[in-house]
């Protein structure tokens, strides 16, 4: 019966990896439904740091983990992550949907080339070939994971793609140095991945009808959704909760909870509008304290105050039933905290977020100023975790209450550090 989705309500990097890892403990299956190696999550278990880009976070609990048809897979990276898990003493119980698309060297080359050609209009992609891989998918010329297991089909597809992309590279981008034919290399990846490839929707629906608990893990955040985010400054997949169903072949009746993850402030990596962005000393301080550097690219993240107008919109389009608020520890120690609760656009007050990049570029934030809370230090936070939600500083609880009211959803989880133990749980997802 129960399926639950975990999604980011901002621009990605809300701390979903930790939240999914925490919730995965009670799940039977964890499924990643969108994106590819553009995502990156860090999970700290017993002081040891684990970084994955493709592997669902539940792998560290030894759970059945899956990659849905809506993901795009860099096969070499996935094999490396399987090896990484094995090195940590875990034999991944992984299932990759045979319909998931494969990222090829062409995709990475064209991702970079298109950014260069766009110049000032560039998106600031992660350079992992994500956009071109999804473009091939919808153009119906992509290579799927299942094709890696069929040498004849793979050869036929790569021959066509090599011919097409060589022309695009030279005639559109004036690039002469192109990838070597990768058919044999990818066939070998296919051979190694074969034990993990299967029909995800069937196993997943059977599991759900048997009452097993399935956690759907979203990558990126609502504002990066290709349809509902700040287009064109978005990723190339649907990142919102509905996509868990569409990308995995599971009906909406199975989704009982949608947990929206909100970072206590905002960060964004890449280009695009950012209404509540801040610069200068405070931004630098939060970036350092919160280690706000891209897990995938290492780029410094842009920093801003919490934008509740945008988060409320994200909570709505996801059908959020509960919230996980992360990184309250990073925000501590500030005398005053600003929260954006309205926009001002050309002299008019606007209370509703509009996912329109041009509109958002014209908006200025209207802040309410809240009193901050003192940094209790590691021992202080540990004591609060032990004593539960009520032990949090009054100002911190007010902050959480405001987020909850704006999003019309209760707080299920509060995270005050990267470790599993740095968590206050108010309600279990399952
Ligand atoms: P792409 O997904 O690599 O095509 O990048 C498109 C936009 O999404 C860029 O602004 C990236 O920085 C951003 N992006 C993609 N994946 C993530 C993520 O996991 N966290 C944060 N931003 C991301």
């Amino acid at each position: 019966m129960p399926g639950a989705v975990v999604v980011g309500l901002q621009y990605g990097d809300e701390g979903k990896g930790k939240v999914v890892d925490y919730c995965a403990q009670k799940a039977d299956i964890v499924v990643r439904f969108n994106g590819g190696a553009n995502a990156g999550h860090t999970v700290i278990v017993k002081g040891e740091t684990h970084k994955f880009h493709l592997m669902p976070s539940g792998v560290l609990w030894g759970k059945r983990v899956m990659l849905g048809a809506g993901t795009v897979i860099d096969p070499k990276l996935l094999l490396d992550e399987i090896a990484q898990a094995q090195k940590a003493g875990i034999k991944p119980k992984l299932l990759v949907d045979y319909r998931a698309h494969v990222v090829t060297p062409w995709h990475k080359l064209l991702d970079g080339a298109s950014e260069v050609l766009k110049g000032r209009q560039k998106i600031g992609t992660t350079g992992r070939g994500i956009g071109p891989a999804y473009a091939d998918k919808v153009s119906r010329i992509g290579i799927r994971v299942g094709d890696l297991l069929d040498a004849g089909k793979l050869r036929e597809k790569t021959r066509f793609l090599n011919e097409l992309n060589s022309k695009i590279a030279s005639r559109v981008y004036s690039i002469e140095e192109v990838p070597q034919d990768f058919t044999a290399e990818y066939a070998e990846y296919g051979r190694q991945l074969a034990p993990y490839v299967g029909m995800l929707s069937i196993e997943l629906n059977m599991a759900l009808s048997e009452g097993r608990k399935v956690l759907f893990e979203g990558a990126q955040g609502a504002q990066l959704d290709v349809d509902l985010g700040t287009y064109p400054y978005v990723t190339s997949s649907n990142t919102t909760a509905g996509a868990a169903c569409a990308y995995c072949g599971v009906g909406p009746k199975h989704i009982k909870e949608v947990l929206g993850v909100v970072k206590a402030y905002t960060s964004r990596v890449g280009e695009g509008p950012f209404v509540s962005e801040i610069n200068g000393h405070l931004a630098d301080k939060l970036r350092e304290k919160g280690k706000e550097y891209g897990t995938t690219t290492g780029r410094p993240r842009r920093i801003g105050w919490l934008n509740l107008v945008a988060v409320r919109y994200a909570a709505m389009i996801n059908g959020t039933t509960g919230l996980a608020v992360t990184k309250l520890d990073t925000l501590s120690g500030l005398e005053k905290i600003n929260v954006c609760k309205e926009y001002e656009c050309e002299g008019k007050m606007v209370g509703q977020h509009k996912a329109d990049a041009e509109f958002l570029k014209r908006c200025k934030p209207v802040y309410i100023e809240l009193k901050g809370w003192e940094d209790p230090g590691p021992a202080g936070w540990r004591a609060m975790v032990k004593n539960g939600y009520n032990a949090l500083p009054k100002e911190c609880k007010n902050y959480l209450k405001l987020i909850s009211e704006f999003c019309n959803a209760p707080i299920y989880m509060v995270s005050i550090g990267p470790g599993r133990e740095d968590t206050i749980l108010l309600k279990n997802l399952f």
Side-chain angles (χ1 to χ4, degrees):
M1 189 259 295
V5 189
V6 177
V7 281
L9 296 188
Q10 291 150 310
Y11 297 100
D13 307 320
E14 296 91 353
K16 287 182 304 296
K18 179 221 155 130
V19 173
V20 172
D21 171 74
Y22 192 92
C23 298
Q25 189 180 3
K26 288 217 180 308
D28 297 306
I29 299 174
V30 182
V31 197
R32 167 95 183 266
F33 62 85
N34 74 303
N38 49 349
H41 42 256
T42 307
V43 183
I44 299 179
V45 184
K46 293 187 190 132
E48 212 176 304
T49 303
H50 302 267
K51 286 184 191 237
F52 291 112
H53 296 282
L54 284 166
M55 193 69 88
S57 307
V59 73
L60 297 171
W61 291 106
K63 302 286 173 171
R64 177 71 157 154
V65 290
M66 300 183 178
L67 291 164
T71 58
V72 287
I73 311 284
D74 179 334
K76 177 166 185 327
L77 186 74
L78 183 58
L79 286 164
D80 288 348
E81 293 191 354
I82 292 170
Q84 187 189 329
Q86 282 166 341
K87 222 170 128 200
I90 293 154
K91 215 167 153 214
K93 290 191 238 153
L94 173 69
L95 175 66
V96 186
D97 195 307
Y98 68 107
R99 297 162 297 191
H101 276 250
V102 172
V103 176
T104 70
W106 281 115
H107 295 140
K108 293 180 200 169
L109 180 98
L110 297 176
D111 193 359
S114 136
E115 286 283 270
V116 172
L117 191 70
K118 281 184 186 140
R120 287 182 53 206
Q121 286 169 23
K122 73 172 185 186
I123 293 163
T125 71
T126 58
R128 296 295 176 106
I130 304 301
Y134 278 109
D136 277 1
K137 166 177 157 168
V138 294
S139 297
R140 292 154 294 176
I141 56 172
I143 297 172
R144 306 203 293 182
V145 168
D147 300 332
L148 297 180
L149 314 187
D150 179 337
K153 201 165 175 194
L154 180 63
R155 204 172 309 112
E156 200 182 303
K157 284 197 160 188
T158 51
R159 192 181 302 131
F160 171 73
L161 289 167
N162 287 342
E163 204 181 313
L164 173 75
N165 289 321
S166 302
K167 285 186 184 147
I168 295 175
S170 72
R171 296 187 195 168
V172 178
Y173 297 113
S174 308
I175 295 174
E176 296 306 333
E177 204 178 313
V178 296
Q180 300 276 315
D181 180 41
F182 53 87
T183 316
E185 182 191 346
Y186 272 50
E188 174 55 23
Y189 296 149
R191 196 188 62 73
Q192 292 179 42
L193 283 175
Y196 303 104
V197 179
M199 301 215 267
L200 182 137
S201 310
I202 293 180
E203 184 176 326
L204 209 51
N205 277 287
M206 274 169 62
L208 283 160
S209 60
E210 283 163 10
R212 297 177 73 207
K213 300 178 197 101
V214 179
L215 186 61
F216 294 87
E217 171 180 1
Q220 291 86 42
Q223 311 295 343
L224 294 178
D225 185 290
V226 66
D227 292 304
L228 308 171
T230 55
Y231 189 90
Y233 304 103
V234 291
T235 189
S236 299
S237 64
N238 290 110
T239 61
T240 37
C245 294
Y247 283 158
C248 295
V250 162
K253 70 173 182 179
H254 291 294
I255 308 298
K256 301 297 174 212
E257 296 272 13
V258 177
L259 183 67
V261 186
V262 184
K263 183 153 67 182
Y265 52 95
T266 314
S267 70
R268 172 167 211 172
V269 60
E271 309 303 314
F274 186 167
V275 179
S276 60
E277 184 165 17
I278 52 174
N279 286 296
H281 176 66
L282 181 59
D284 295 343
K285 194 170 141 185
L286 287 173
R287 185 179 302 109
E288 291 312 311
K289 194 170 174 195
K291 298 190 177 66
E292 296 293 353
Y293 293 88
T295 321
T296 301
T297 58
R299 290 181 288 179
R301 295 176 184 147
R302 298 157 66 192
I303 303 289
W305 294 115
L306 180 64
N307 178 349
L308 280 181
V309 192
V311 170
R312 175 173 54 197
Y313 163 81
M316 176 184 75
I317 61 173
N318 277 292
T320 305
T321 57
L323 297 164
V325 181
T326 63
K327 292 203 159 181
L328 282 161
D329 53 321
T330 305
L331 207 57
S332 62
L334 298 176
E335 209 178 308
K336 304 271 182 221
I337 296 173
N338 282 343
V339 177
C340 174
K341 63 153 202 21
E342 257 182 312
Y343 302 150
E344 192 206 311
C345 183
E346 287 152 0
K348 289 200 187 86
M349 301 303 272
V350 184
Q352 287 289 349
H353 180 80
K354 194 166 147 196
D356 175 334
E358 291 313 312
F359 164 78
L360 291 171
K361 277 181 192 165
R362 296 197 304 273
C363 287
K364 291 195 189 77
V366 178
Y367 290 120
I368 43 171
E369 193 183 79
L370 302 174
K371 200 166 171 280
W373 53 92
E374 275 178 32
D375 189 342
W381 284 118
R382 263 198 306 278
M384 284 178 213
V385 169
K386 199 163 156 239
N387 297 323
Y389 181 85
N390 282 330
L392 287 169
K394 186 173 87 223
E395 294 79 11
C396 192
K397 281 187 281 190
N398 286 343
Y399 197 66
L400 291 164
K401 193 163 161 262
L402 185 71
I403 299 172
S404 170
E405 280 168 3
F406 250 79
C407 296
N408 196 22
I411 307 276
Y412 282 13
M413 189 190 288
V414 177
S415 171
I416 47 83
R420 282 175 180 166
E421 60 285 3
D422 306 318
T423 312
I424 299 175
L425 188 69
L426 287 92
K427 185 174 187 280
N428 259 316
L429 263 191
F430 296 110

